[in-house]
């Protein structure tokens, strides 16, 4: 349906010759927002329609990834699909940012609404980061080198941090819960990065640096636990009853850090006798491979029915754009959606 609709609606924004379409303001479009109430935003603008349609396709891919990830029998093919879905979503959000947003009237939109630069940027970065989470989990499962896993986790933490920064100036009523989720992930992957860095430093006989690094990992993990509680109590929209602290991937990290720290302290007491440095060792700044990137989205061309002759048949100059009345912004009933958690409420 989407493949059929997008070429048709493009005919309302772009003429057959490539210029503006005379039909752009002919119809009225309504869209509710992913972060707000049920009152729709209403505009006489086909560009607004394309922006929202594409954004919601991206949101569908995010939900598809969440549904697959919540499977009780999660397989390698499932992981690949989750990775692809998230990168596809990121590419769609990037397309709307680059190609559609510049043609929207930003004065008609609040900073927390879907088709704004801050929200689209945050969605794109979050999807990229979550795709990279799949890579990190895979690297851990296959027991790749600790320095590689540390670098990947560090890059993942930075992506979540950039997404959080994008929302910093938005209305706190709508983005607080989302930001707390991102902040949990920032601290969590920073702790993962330090944990594997500490393991790597011990293999290099840098026991003092290892202990310092693992102490930092412990601190970061405790901060992520505190943020989990703040997230659960925060105001704002979220997907289902999410409990990040109950996720097995989250729960495993704390004991792993403790064991690694105990090992480094034990080895230091028996063999190395290194002084614990005051300064933290620097993290690997850039992973050499394994980084996720958005999949480029290509908008289909204008439908061939939109010829110059077809446009001449419209009496647009004699037709006033439809008026937007108060009833247009009344609450819309929520769409009934299938449970994407698969019964596992701790999954986002």
């Amino acid at each position: 349906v989407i493949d059929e609709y997008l070429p048709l609606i493009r005919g309302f924004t772009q003429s057959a010759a490539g210029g503006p379409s005379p039909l752009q303001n002919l119809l009225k479009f309504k869209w509710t927002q992913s972060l707000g109430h049920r009152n729709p935003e209403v505009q006489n603008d086909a560009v607004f329609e394309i922006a929202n349609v594409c954004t919601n396709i991206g949101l569908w891919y995010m939900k598809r990834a969440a549904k697959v990830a919540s499977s009780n029998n999660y397989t390698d093919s499932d992981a690949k699909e989750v990775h692809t879905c998230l990168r596809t979503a990121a590419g769609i959000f990037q397309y709307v940012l680059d190609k559609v947003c510049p043609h929207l009237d930003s004065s008609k939109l609040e900073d927390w609404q879907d088709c704004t630069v801050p929200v689209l940027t945050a969605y794109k970065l979050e999807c990229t980061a979550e795709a990279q989470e799949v890579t990190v989990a895979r690297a851990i499962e296959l027991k790749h080198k600790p320095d590689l896993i540390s670098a990947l986790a560090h890059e993942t933490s930075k992506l979540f941090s950039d997404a959080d920064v994008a929302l910093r100036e938005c209305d706190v009523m709508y983005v607080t819960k989302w930001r707390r989720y991102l902040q949990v992930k920032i601290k969590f992957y920073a702790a993962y990065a330090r944990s594997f860095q500490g393991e790597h430093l011990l293999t290099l006989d840098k026991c003092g640096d290892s202990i310092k690094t693992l102490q930092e990992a412990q601190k970061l993990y405790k901060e992520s636990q505190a943020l989990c509680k703040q997230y659960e109590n925060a105001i704002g929209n979220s997907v289902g009853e999410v409990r990040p602290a109950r996720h097995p991937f989250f729960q495993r990290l704390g004991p792993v850090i403790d064991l690694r720290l105990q090992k480094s302290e034990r080895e230091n007491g028996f063999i190395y006798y290194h002084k614990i440095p005051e300064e933290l060792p620097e993290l690997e700044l850039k992973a050499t491979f394994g980084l996720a990137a958005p999949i480029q989205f290509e908008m289909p061309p204008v439908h061939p029915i939109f010829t110059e002759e077809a446009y001449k048949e419209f009496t647009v100059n004699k037709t006033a754009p439809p008026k937007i009345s108060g009833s247009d912004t009344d609450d819309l009933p929520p769409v009934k959606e299938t449970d994407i958690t698969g019964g596992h409420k701790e999954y986002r």
Side-chain angles (χ1 to χ4, degrees), residues 175-195:
V175 301
T176 296
K177 197 171 188 73
W178 188 4
R179 291 193 65 195
R180 290 294 178 269
Y181 168 79
L182 296 170
Q183 289 160 10
V184 168
K185 293 300 184 83
I186 293 166
K187 296 292 185 180
F188 177 64
Y189 280 98
Y192 250 112
R194 288 297 184 180
S195 175

Side-chain angles (χ1 to χ4, degrees), residues 37-49:
H37 37 64
R38 301 304 309 171
N39 299 92
E41 174 69 24
V42 186
Q43 291 191 26
N44 298 328
D45 188 355
V47 176
F48 174 72
E49 171 74 352

Side-chain angles (χ1 to χ4, degrees), residues 9 19 46 51 66 82 153 185 262 308:
I9 195 61
V82 169
K185 293 300 184 83
Q262 290 167 15
E308 290 298 330

